[in-house]
Amino acid sequence: MNNQNVDEHSLLFISQLYPTVYTPLVPQQAGKSKPARPRRRRKSKTVAAAEVDGDGSNGWFRKRKLSDEQVRMLEMSFEDEHKLESERKDRLASELGLDPRQVAVWFQNRRARWKNKRLEDEYTKLKHTHENVVVEKCRLDSEVLHLKEQLYDAEREIQRLAQRVEGTLSNSPISSSVSVEANHTTPLFGDYEVGNDVGDGYENLFYSPDYADGLEWMSQFM
DNA sequence: TTGTGTTTTACGACCTCC
DNA sequence: GGAGGTCGTAAAACACAA
């Protein structure tokens, strides 16, 4: 019987003594030099091991879940500190009846799960933010559309009124010197002054302070 | 019962730090 | 160079629908 077999039997013995707390370890391939990096992959070492067993499992070690209590203690320790210094590892291992290697592996896996969870949370948060931005963009797009419609209507109204004024002036026999007085000829223009010179177009048509306010209002949305 | 998907345990390869 | 980290993955354990 070589050393490896002795170790295997010891492990089996311990695992039978403490079935709930001890997860049998795989015997390391002591003395074997590291192979020149054959990428992938071992046979499951946790399964392979000793013989002699009465439970029908042919005495093979099986990968065993850690007990609830062990996991609880490990979780508590992980809460304290995600990194695992060697002293703490050894202390935890002896307290929980585990191999230090198991404690180290548990922490490695726990860190990986923690990282995944964090990434998942960040992704969810970003997704929500993105959704909100998309909704806001839709709202703004619709508002822009609405304002464009308003602008279009206003322009058409201006055009219509301008045409009406033009018509009124061209029909007047004294069009060149007419001064449209307040709400006398047309209620549409109220106090608006029409320029003295037909040739200067209608740039002086809307001097109403109200209209100026309207432009100001519209300019907020342009 | 069994097929299948998920979680947990464990490990090899590789990297970084002291 | 060794210890301890991450990453990717195998395989056992587990959950669960069909």
Side-chain angles (χ1 to χ4, degrees), chain A residues 78 82 107-123:
Chain A
F78 185 78
H82 291 192
F107 265 76
Q108 284 162 14
N109 290 322
R110 187 64 183 81
R111 278 192 297 271
R113 285 197 293 272
W114 179 80
K115 187 180 173 185
N116 278 340
K117 176 81 170 55
R118 203 189 55 193
L119 286 174
E120 217 170 87
D121 290 347
E122 275 174 24
Y123 170 77

Side-chain angles (χ1 to χ4, degrees), chain A residues 149-208:
Chain A
E149 281 171 7
Q150 281 187 340
L151 181 62
Y152 176 73
D153 288 346
E155 282 172 350
R156 286 195 52 172
E157 180 66 8
I158 289 167
Q159 210 171 10
R160 196 176 63 78
L161 294 177
Q163 280 169 356
R164 197 182 253 200
V165 170
E166 194 174 10
T168 304
L169 293 180
S170 63
N171 287 338
S172 167
I174 48 168
S175 60
S176 62
S177 60
V178 85
S179 174
V180 182
E181 295 180 7
N183 74 31
H184 297 153
T185 53
T186 165
L188 282 171
F189 296 118
D191 290 338
Y192 301 146
E193 271 191 4
V194 175
N196 293 332
D197 189 349
V198 175
D200 67 6
Y202 301 104
E203 54 268 23
N204 296 324
L205 187 60
F206 302 119
Y207 277 161
S208 160

Side-chain angles (χ1 to χ4, degrees), chain A residues 90-107:
Chain A
D90 292 339
R91 187 167 43 78
L92 267 172
S94 70
E95 279 173 9
L96 300 175
L98 294 171
D99 190 278
R101 169 71 187 161
Q102 279 180 291
V103 175
V105 165
W106 188 91
F107 265 76

Side-chain angles (χ1 to χ4, degrees), chain A residues 13-131:
Chain A
F13 179 62
I14 293 169
S15 71
Q16 286 170 338
L17 274 179
Y18 305 102
T20 59
V21 294
Y22 187 72
T23 302
L25 284 179
V26 178
Q28 301 299 308
Q29 299 182 354
K32 282 191 180 174
S33 61
K34 213 174 183 177
R37 200 169 294 178
R39 188 95 185 174
R40 300 275 107 93
R41 175 154 193 110
R42 71 203 174 272
K43 187 184 171 193
S44 170
K45 290 180 177 180
T46 45
V47 174
E51 310 173 324
V52 190
D53 198 325
D55 63 4
S57 62
N58 290 331
W60 287 44
F61 283 106
R62 299 207 149 278
K63 183 158 71 179
R64 212 169 271 167
K65 281 193 75 173
L66 305 183
S67 70
D68 291 347
E69 181 62 13
Q70 286 170 327
V71 171
R72 197 179 65 80
M73 297 290 283
L74 288 166
E75 286 287 358
M76 279 172 59
S77 186
F78 185 78
E79 285 291 310
D80 278 352
E81 173 66 56
H82 291 192
K83 299 279 180 184
L84 183 67
E85 330 76 72
S86 148
E87 196 181 320
R88 193 156 69 106
K89 178 177 67 183
D90 292 339
R91 187 167 43 78
L92 267 172
S94 70
E95 279 173 9
L96 300 175
L98 294 171
D99 190 278
R101 169 71 187 161
Q102 279 180 291
V103 175
V105 165
W106 188 91
F107 265 76
Q108 284 162 14
N109 290 322
R110 187 64 183 81
R111 278 192 297 271
R113 285 197 293 272
W114 179 80
K115 187 180 173 185
N116 278 340
K117 176 81 170 55
R118 203 189 55 193
L119 286 174
E120 217 170 87
D121 290 347
E122 275 174 24
Y123 170 77
T124 306
K125 215 184 286 180
L126 283 173
K127 200 169 155 221
H128 284 146
T129 304
H130 176 255
E131 282 165 3

